[in-house]
Amino acid sequence: MAQLSKDAFVFGHDILSVEQALDAIRKRVTPIEQSESVALCNAEGRVLAGDLIAPIPLPPFANSAVDGYAVRFEDLANAGETRLPVKGRVIAGAIGKGDGSPCAIRIFTGAPMPDGFDTVYMQEDVTRDGDFAILPAGLKKGANARPAGEAVAAGSAAILKGRVLRAQDLALAAALGITTLVVHRRLRIAVFSTGNELTEPGQPLGPAGIYDSNRALLRVLCQKLGANVTDLGILPDNRAMIAAALGRAGDHDLILTSGGVSMGEEDHVKGAVEDAGALTFWRIGIKPGRPVAMGVVDHAAFVGLPGNPVAVFVTFSAIVRPLVAALSGALYEPPLPLPVIADFSYRKKPGRREFVRVSLARDEAGQVHAKKHPRDGAGVLSSLTETDGLIVLPEEAESLAPGETVGFLSYAALL
Ligand code: AMP
Ligand code: MG
């Protein structure tokens, strides 16, 4: 039987993989239930609370996809061209009909197909001879006509619940005649920074001070995910004060902090979470960003991000974004890394997922190459402003050689 050392499960020895953390989030987090009705014009970025059922079909009626001539397929000759009298004209917004005899009807894009007419010739393919249209052979039945309900059937789910609504979703809702949507309420996220060295931008900087940049980052990232953010400012490295602040923020859906989660004796966030609530796990196998604490404080999920700004950025995209999605009831698929060619070599420890900041450039052959930023410290914020995205190196990888294909995630896809 295996011998477990006394400290096998003590903090610092038990590293959770990103996948295990995401799995725990998927299994253990239940979304908020409250919803509200919002006007379409205010629904961008909100999370649809229930399937949107189409009240009408789309298109609502069969119509022409082109400017041309509507015919009944059965009136066409079996072989060779067909000569039909043109009887009538139907424009978008009007109704047209034939007289029952074989004929063609002049029709325009979006106009309803006259009763019994099923096929449309594009005007470019038709020769006019006075009141007659000469129609070439070879057109298929139903060509250039859009049947009713072709895109969306009445009564079907046009948009699935959990969709984070984009402009095209709102356009589809508008096409269905809908003016308001039921969405989950916005998530309430409390954000604070910890660190005795931190100074609020705008205030004078002491000799050992740095300005707090993580809150500026986290506020915006949370707002981009549709949350209402409560800014709780900067807290000193003091366990009791951090625990008290956590306790006061327990009515939020999520509390996000940065700094103070490493193993140093001045890292008080984990202890404060234990005092104010329960620490579930910490240390995730991710670089930059390894120490990430997670827990529950009162009603709120808690995530303690590391202090280094690049680590904050990376762990937010890898852990907080899926957690926010799970809490807010949003469907979430991790972004798909796109293949690019690495122009650099890299060594890493197996067992953790690593992210490398890179810029992209295209060579003469059209292939996309990734160039690593020269400064890869987790504190170098400018390495994020001067690059296009991150290369993901999977847990099992140990090294990377120039010329290898790697997965690239753009900042836009990540956040
Ligand atoms: P910590 O995780 O608290 O050990 O912090 C790691 C590094 O990140 C230290 O150099 C901190 O000064 C820095 N840091 C922590 N919090 C912030 C913040 N809010 N903004 C900018 N840098 C920070
Ligand atoms: Mg600190």
Side-chain angles (χ1 to χ4, degrees), residues 221-376:
L221 294 180
C222 290
Q223 280 160 1
K224 278 185 71 164
L225 296 180
N228 282 333
V229 177
T230 310
D231 186 347
L232 297 178
I234 299 168
L235 289 182
D237 289 309
N238 176 300
R239 178 165 173 161
M241 288 175 78
I242 297 171
L246 289 172
R248 284 194 300 274
D251 58 346
H252 288 76
D253 303 302
L254 173 64
I255 305 171
L256 262 186
T257 69
S258 72
V261 288
S262 297
M263 306 234 278
E265 59 214 48
E266 283 308 317
D267 291 315
H268 297 295
V269 171
K270 297 192 309 286
V273 176
E274 285 167 333
D275 295 345
L279 190 71
T280 315
F281 52 81
W282 79 288
R283 294 200 89 200
I284 294 175
I286 184 172
K287 190 189 171 191
R290 191 165 19 139
V292 176
M294 297 187 71
V296 177
V297 176
D298 209 350
H299 296 291
F302 168 84
V303 181
L305 300 174
N308 276 309
V310 180
V312 170
F313 188 84
V314 168
T315 49
F316 186 97
S317 70
I319 303 291
V320 180
R321 187 181 168 199
L323 174 62
V324 165
L327 287 168
S328 58
L331 298 168
Y332 173 77
E333 281 297 325
L336 203 61
L338 297 175
V340 299
I341 299 166
D343 271 3
F344 56 95
S345 57
Y346 195 82
R347 296 204 67 77
K348 73 181 269 294
K349 278 196 198 146
R352 65 188 185 195
R353 191 175 296 184
E354 293 201 17
F355 294 88
V356 186
R357 285 145 275 166
V358 298
S359 303
L360 296 185
R362 201 182 284 276
D363 66 17
E364 300 88 63
Q367 286 190 306
V368 179
H369 292 251
K371 193 165 172 289
K372 182 173 154 298
H373 194 275
R375 315 235 10 239
D376 54 11

Side-chain angles (χ1 to χ4, degrees), residues 4-86:
L4 281 178
S5 72
K6 261 201 336 264
D7 58 0
F9 297 118
V10 169
F11 290 148
H13 292 262
D14 193 12
I15 294 187
L16 211 66
S17 71
V18 176
E19 243 3 280
Q20 286 170 319
L22 294 183
D23 203 46
I25 288 169
R26 269 192 296 269
K27 291 194 178 127
R28 298 186 205 172
V29 174
T30 45
I32 52 169
E33 278 168 7
Q34 298 95 323
S35 56
E36 59 192 352
S37 209
V38 294
L40 228 53
C41 58
N42 295 323
E44 197 264 333
R46 303 299 300 271
V47 180
L48 192 64
D51 289 351
L52 183 71
I53 304 300
I56 57 168
L58 278 186
F61 51 86
N63 67 94
S64 178
V66 297
D67 290 345
Y69 293 84
V71 298
R72 279 180 293 246
F73 188 74
E74 65 191 42
D75 291 341
L76 299 178
N78 285 332
E81 59 184 35
T82 309
R83 186 182 163 88
L84 288 176
V86 179

Side-chain angles (χ1 to χ4, degrees), residues 192-195 197-198 210-215 234 237 258-262 266-267 291 305-309 312 378-379 381:
F192 64 83
S193 300
T194 69
E197 74 279 31
L198 299 181
I210 60 165
Y211 285 120
D212 177 2
S213 56
N214 290 345
R215 257 163 62 238
I234 299 168
D237 289 309
S258 72
V261 288
S262 297
E266 283 308 317
D267 291 315
L305 300 174
N308 276 309
V312 170
L381 202 43

Side-chain angles (χ1 to χ4, degrees), residues 138-176:
L139 203 61
K140 288 206 180 81
K141 183 173 181 177
N144 301 317
R146 304 186 281 215
E150 174 189 52
V152 179
S156 70
I159 308 177
L160 297 182
K161 87 172 188 194
R163 166 61 54 78
V164 179
L165 295 163
R166 307 159 297 176
Q168 59 265 46
D169 300 308
L170 303 177
L172 181 58
L176 291 167

